[in-house]
Amino acid sequence: MFVCFTNILYVCIYVTNSVFELKIRCDVKTNSIERMNVDGSQRTLLFKDAEYEPISVAFHNGVVFWADKKKGTIHRFTVNSHTVKTASKSR
């Protein structure tokens, strides 16, 4: 289960299952994606690159997906291997 909310500066999703609860935050102002505990503790930068402008974020099986405003694409970031791939390109 997850809950998502957004405003001008960032998008957050809350991911909850039987093993963990976490929050993934996409910060539009700094072009970064972070994960943290639901209470905001143990904040960790997952990804930051001026080449991308993430505006929406999703999480599934250790992979963070985001929509990129600058390129009109969808990207995937594998948390364990720290690799970024383009999942979908705009037409």
Side-chain angles (χ1 to χ4, degrees):
M1 176 186 164
F2 70 91
V3 177
C4 180
F5 68 88
T6 184
N7 70 21
I8 295 172
L9 298 178
Y10 59 88
V11 177
C12 291
I13 60 170
Y14 294 94
V15 181
T16 305
N17 66 24
S18 60
V19 179
F20 62 88
E21 286 186 312
L22 64 90
K23 180 164 95 172
I24 304 234
R25 176 180 167 190
C26 168
D27 191 322
V28 175
K29 203 170 189 182
T30 63
N31 296 339
S32 64
I33 298 173
E34 303 173 316
R35 76 172 167 196
M36 63 198 77
N37 291 337
V38 175
D39 65 3
S41 65
Q42 296 185 359
R43 196 166 161 174
T44 304
L45 181 66
L46 292 177
F47 179 80
K48 182 175 181 175
D49 190 329
E51 180 182 343
Y52 301 99
E53 193 173 324
I55 58 168
S56 182
V57 65
F59 180 82
H60 180 70
N61 287 341
V63 179
V64 178
F65 296 87
W66 77 89
D68 188 274
K69 181 179 179 183
K70 187 186 286 185
K71 296 182 176 192
T73 52
I74 297 173
H75 299 276
R76 56 180 283 155
F77 175 79
T78 305
V79 175
N80 292 337
S81 66
H82 298 279
T83 58
V84 176
K85 293 184 180 179
T86 301
S88 176
K89 295 181 181 182
S90 64
R91 295 179 190 166

